[in-house]
């Protein structure tokens, strides 16, 4: 009899691939299946946020992604009679190694992640569909059908649905998907455009809705996103229609050519009522879908996967209690709800037909934007939100503070900032680490000490990423996903031991 799998991953988009890469890095037994015969060849999602680049660094793929992508550095707001140019990344952020939005085709992101799995001898089982699942004792029995029509029964401890908006896992687990559809239809195309300044995000504040051009590079120079004109509801999505939309928004200033692909689509704002039902979990679009405003979707899904992956791996290895898995929904569901609210508001401002909103979009916003965004702290705050650098888990039961918390500095649940010595990149897939903080003159000796190595030298730092100095000696436990689990003043070893006994009672690995 075949031994049960630790995890069956259903869906091999960016979320599923990231989850598989982390499970592989941490030694969990799993299979990854996808009903599609091949990975996507279109660009679809195209923005990788700084926090996602940080989180993926432990899997060894971030440098490849950055080398392939386009880190755009400027935003041009085009309104009737004026163009407002804004710098996006002169905000003085010193706590991330990637202070930019990376524009890269989803096809390329999937290719890089797939190559990482291939290097680890992991096969993505394409053309394999999940037909059903049922709980049988401590396991889940899953019915699969491959591309040849052969059926197979697979037993797994856990099943993770990374299978998109029409998730079979979500449906079979009986989890409601609540929300609504927006009335507008949208146009999406990758093509070349004459008349646009390169390496710049261009936003046209048109009466009918905003039109966006994002620098892409591959498979075409630009990604175009716009609302379909209401007077052309059934027109084929071709170059003449796209040019017509661009002409109305830009005053015939641009020449569109050589579309690689184009499509029309509807947008929904929906969220799963639960991220877990027994042994079944949801991540990415299976758990939440929303408008593409701000480039949050794929990034939120990848971060879902990286939050869940290390927890599954530790539990399956017997190194952590089953209760660790409860913290996945506890931590990620609030993030999903926040992203849905944020994108819904941005979407409404960009597409509303209300005369007052139209006037604000085309006349007021271009005049106020330079004044509102001129102060660097304002731009930094806005960028941190979009870049997902401020996501934290302070209210999670996995986040704990000792009886004598340090004054200033990060709190339990905060992300560990990317530091000059590359400490963030060492945490994501390597396990828990102990971070000890002390006098600033010892900074040159900085390094992470694995929890399992009690003889390792402590890490000494004075300040973490612009949060201000820590006053006095302190220490913290860094989770595998780069967030701080336990934070306390130096000398509080009793609280640290209690934390480890609760969450890593076996082996502390």
């Amino acid at each position: 009899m075949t031994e049960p799998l630790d995890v069956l991953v259903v869906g091999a988009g960016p979320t599923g691939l990231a989850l598989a890469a982390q499970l592989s890095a941490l030694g969990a037994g799993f299979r990854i299946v996808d009903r599609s015969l091949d990975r996507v060849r279109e660009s679809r999602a195209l923005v990788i946020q700084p926090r996602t680049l940080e989180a993926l660094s432990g899997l060894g793929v971030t440098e490849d992604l950055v080398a392939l992508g386009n880190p755009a550095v400027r935003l041009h707001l085009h309104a009737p009679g004026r163009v407002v140019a804004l710098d996006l990344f002169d905000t003085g952020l010193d706590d991330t190694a990637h202070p930019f939005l990376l524009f890269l085709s989803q096809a390329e992101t999937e290719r890089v992640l797939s190559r990482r799995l291939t290097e680890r001898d992991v096969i993505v089982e394409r053309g394999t569909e999940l037909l059903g699942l049922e709980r049988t004792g401590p396991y889940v029995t899953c019915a699969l059908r491959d591309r040849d029509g052969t059926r197979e029964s697979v037993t797994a401890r856990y099943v993770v649905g990374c299978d998109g908006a029409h998730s079979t896992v979500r449906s079979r687990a009986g989890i409601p998907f609540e929300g609504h559809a927006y009335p507008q239809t949208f146009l999406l195309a990758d093509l070349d455009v004459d008349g646009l300044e390169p390496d710049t995000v261009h936003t046209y504040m048109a009466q009918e809705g905003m039109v966006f051009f994002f620098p892409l590079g591959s498979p075409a120079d630009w990604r175009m996103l716009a609302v379909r004109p209401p007077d052309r509801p059934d027109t084929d999505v071709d170059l003449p229609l796209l040019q017509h939309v661009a002409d109305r928004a830009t005053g015939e200033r641009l020449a569109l050519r050589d579309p690689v692909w184009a499509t029309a689509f509807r947008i929904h704002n929906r969220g799963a009522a639960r991220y877990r039902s027994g042994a079944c979990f949801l991540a990415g679009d299976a758990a939440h879908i929303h408008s593409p405003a701000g480039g949050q979707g794929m990034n939120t899904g990848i971060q879902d996967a990286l939050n869940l992956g290390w927890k599954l791996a530790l539990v399956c290895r017997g190194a952590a209690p089953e209760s660790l898995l409860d913290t996945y929904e506890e931590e990620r569901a609030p993030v999903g709800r926040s992203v849905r609210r944020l994108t819904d508001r941005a979407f409404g401002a960009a597409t509303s037909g209300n005369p007052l909103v139209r006037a604000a979009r085309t006349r007021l916003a271009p005049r106020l934007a330079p004044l509102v965004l001129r102060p660097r702290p304002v731009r930094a705050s806005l960028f941190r939100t979009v870049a997902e650098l401020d996501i934290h888990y302070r209210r999670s039961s996995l986040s704990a503070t000792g009886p004598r918390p340090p004054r200033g500095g990060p709190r339990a649940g905060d992300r560990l900032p990317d530091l000059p010595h590359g400490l963030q990149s060492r945490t994501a897939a390597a396990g828990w680490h102990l971070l000890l903080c002390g006098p600033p003159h010892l900074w040159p000796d900085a390094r992470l000490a694995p929890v399992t190595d009690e003889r390792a030298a402590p890490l000494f730092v004075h300040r973490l990423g612009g949060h201000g100095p820590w006053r006095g000696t302190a220490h913290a436990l860094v989770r595998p996903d780069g967030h701080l689990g336990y934070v306390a003043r130096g000398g509080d070893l009793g609280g640290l031991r209690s934390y480890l006994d609760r969450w890593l009672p076996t082996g502390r690995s």
Side-chain angles (χ1 to χ4, degrees), residues 232-478:
R232 300 198 178 188
D234 301 316
T235 309
D236 290 339
V237 184
D238 53 16
L239 187 59
L241 175 62
L242 297 171
Q243 185 66 64
H244 169 74
V245 172
D247 289 346
R248 289 171 63 169
T250 70
E252 302 183 1
R253 291 191 178 93
L254 305 178
L256 278 53
R257 57 183 174 81
D258 302 328
V260 174
W261 75 291
T263 189
F265 66 99
R266 295 284 301 277
I267 292 176
H268 294 249
N269 188 309
R270 300 185 187 277
R274 302 181 301 280
Y275 281 29
R276 179 186 186 184
S277 176
C280 297
F281 295 83
L282 304 176
D285 286 356
H288 42 73
I289 56 174
H290 42 77
S291 93
Q296 303 291 292
M298 181 183 71
N299 293 273
T300 304
I302 289 174
Q303 291 174 48
D304 286 345
L306 298 179
N307 182 287
L308 177 61
W310 66 270
K311 297 174 181 178
L312 283 171
L314 287 184
V315 171
C316 289
R317 279 170 26 200
E322 172 82 14
S323 57
L324 180 64
L325 298 178
D326 295 333
T327 66
Y328 169 63
E329 179 172 351
E330 186 181 333
E331 293 179 348
R332 294 304 299 174
V335 174
R337 290 192 292 269
S338 176
V339 169
R340 289 178 58 205
R341 286 194 300 269
L342 174 68
T343 56
D344 185 61
R345 291 168 184 163
F347 180 86
T351 62
S352 174
N354 181 289
L356 292 178
V357 178
R358 279 189 176 187
R361 183 170 62 229
T362 58
R363 299 176 185 176
L364 190 60
R367 288 175 168 80
L368 289 181
L371 299 176
V372 173
L373 297 177
R374 183 174 297 160
R376 183 171 292 184
V378 173
R379 291 202 308 281
S381 177
L382 177 63
F383 176 65
R384 294 187 71 87
T385 299
V386 174
E388 303 186 340
L389 293 171
D390 283 340
I391 291 175
H392 63 80
Y393 308 128
R394 293 174 184 170
R395 297 183 179 179
S396 169
S397 58
L398 192 54
S399 302
T401 301
R404 298 176 62 231
R407 302 174 186 175
R411 296 160 55 186
D414 286 358
R415 98 186 213 285
L416 175 68
D418 245 345
L419 300 176
H421 290 266
L423 302 176
Q424 176 69 64
S425 64
R426 292 195 222 166
T427 65
W432 294 68
H433 289 81
L434 186 63
L435 173 67
L436 299 182
C437 311
H441 66 275
L442 294 175
W443 169 255
D445 297 325
R447 72 187 184 95
L448 286 171
V451 171
T452 53
D453 185 358
E454 296 178 356
R455 297 168 299 173
L459 164 68
F460 294 96
V461 299
H462 176 54
R463 63 193 300 268
L464 295 179
H467 288 275
W470 286 37
R471 299 174 189 173
T473 304
H475 56 241
L477 195 66
V478 184

Side-chain angles (χ1 to χ4, degrees), residues 43-48 68-76 88-89 100-106 189-193 196-203 212-225:
S43 57
R44 299 189 185 181
L46 79 159
V47 178
I48 306 180
L68 291 168
N70 183 347
V73 297
R74 290 180 67 78
L75 168 66
H76 282 185
L88 294 176
F89 312 119
F100 49 79
L101 304 181
L102 184 72
F103 288 89
L104 181 66
S105 161
Q106 179 179 329
D190 291 346
L191 71 176
D192 293 335
V193 182
L196 287 176
E197 182 175 330
D199 299 328
T200 301
V201 179
H202 295 271
T203 302
F212 299 89
F213 290 95
F214 302 100
L216 193 55
S218 175
D221 287 343
W222 295 95
R223 154 71 60 84
M224 177 181 177
L225 175 64

